[in-house]
Amino acid sequence: MDHRNLYFVGRNYAMHAKELGNETPKEPIVFLKPTHALAPLDGRTVKLDGTKGAIHYEVELVLRIGQTYDPSIDAEAHIAGLALGLDLTLRDVQRELQRNGLPWLPAKSFPQSALRTEWQPYPGLRALTDTEFSLRRNGATVQRGHAGMMLFNIPALISFIGTRYGLGEGDLIYTGTPAGVGPVSDGDLLECLYGEKIVGSCRFDLQQGE
């Protein structure tokens, strides 16, 4: 299935908003990435430009939409799959953009900035609330969360995005990241876990140019 729109939700976990010094939002903060930002979390090495400042990892639950948004049916009925993903952010670039009141595009939308694992069946909101997802960096757990910690839950996100921007088959929603984000270093191994199972990983090669 071709992916169409890549929606990302910012500041959807209160402790993450706090750790970056941001206010808790009153409604979902939604931004987009181009499809060339997508790359698999399948154990490969991810080569990135290491000359633009800190690159932060943000682990997230990712939803794949299976049908055109219809407000008359249950929001979760639109979901065709679940994955874990990494929303990579040029944090120094983002802070400079924020200081100048500019869009986040240069900080968020570079190639391979939207990594994701293989799809699995969507288990329902209760199971996602009961099952923790986490991120390990070089064997140490750095992020941990579950769907019950979201400020805006999955049905609310689907309704908000579907009503305001539209949702269709193949669209993806990265639902926000829990606290614990931080910079990657050259050679780092990142592993995404759903429950106790590793479902995706990558190693980083931060290239410094000539």
Side-chain angles (χ1 to χ4, degrees), residues 136-163:
R136 291 201 305 223
R137 177 175 178 256
N138 300 326
T141 299
V142 289
Q143 287 189 272
R144 192 187 300 273
H146 57 78
M149 299 167 64
M150 292 180 179
L151 294 171
F152 307 100
N153 67 20
I154 286 171
L157 293 178
I158 291 172
S159 297
F160 183 89
I161 295 171
T163 299

Side-chain angles (χ1 to χ4, degrees), residues 189-203:
L189 173 65
L190 266 63
E191 297 169 305
C192 295
L193 290 83
Y194 182 69
E196 300 299 321
K197 181 181 178 181
I198 298 173
V199 293
S201 66
C202 68
R203 192 174 294 276

Side-chain angles (χ1 to χ4, degrees), residues 70-159:
D70 181 349
S72 69
I73 67 173
D74 182 78
E76 289 184 275
H78 296 85
I79 303 172
L82 174 75
L84 293 185
L86 291 177
D87 168 18
L88 300 181
T89 304
L90 291 168
R91 189 69 72 199
D92 296 332
V93 174
Q94 185 187 42
R95 286 170 177 151
E96 184 64 23
L97 293 168
Q98 289 174 322
R99 278 195 292 269
N100 291 286
L102 297 173
W104 293 358
L105 186 70
K108 286 285 193 178
S109 299
F110 50 95
Q112 301 190 99
S113 63
L115 305 170
R116 69 156 182 84
T117 67
E118 291 293 323
W119 296 111
Q120 59 182 329
Y122 178 70
L125 187 58
R126 176 172 293 182
L128 283 183
T129 300
D130 292 340
T131 305
E132 196 170 68
F133 67 97
S134 59
L135 182 69
R136 291 201 305 223
R137 177 175 178 256
N138 300 326
T141 299
V142 289
Q143 287 189 272
R144 192 187 300 273
H146 57 78
M149 299 167 64
M150 292 180 179
L151 294 171
F152 307 100
N153 67 20
I154 286 171
L157 293 178
I158 291 172
S159 297

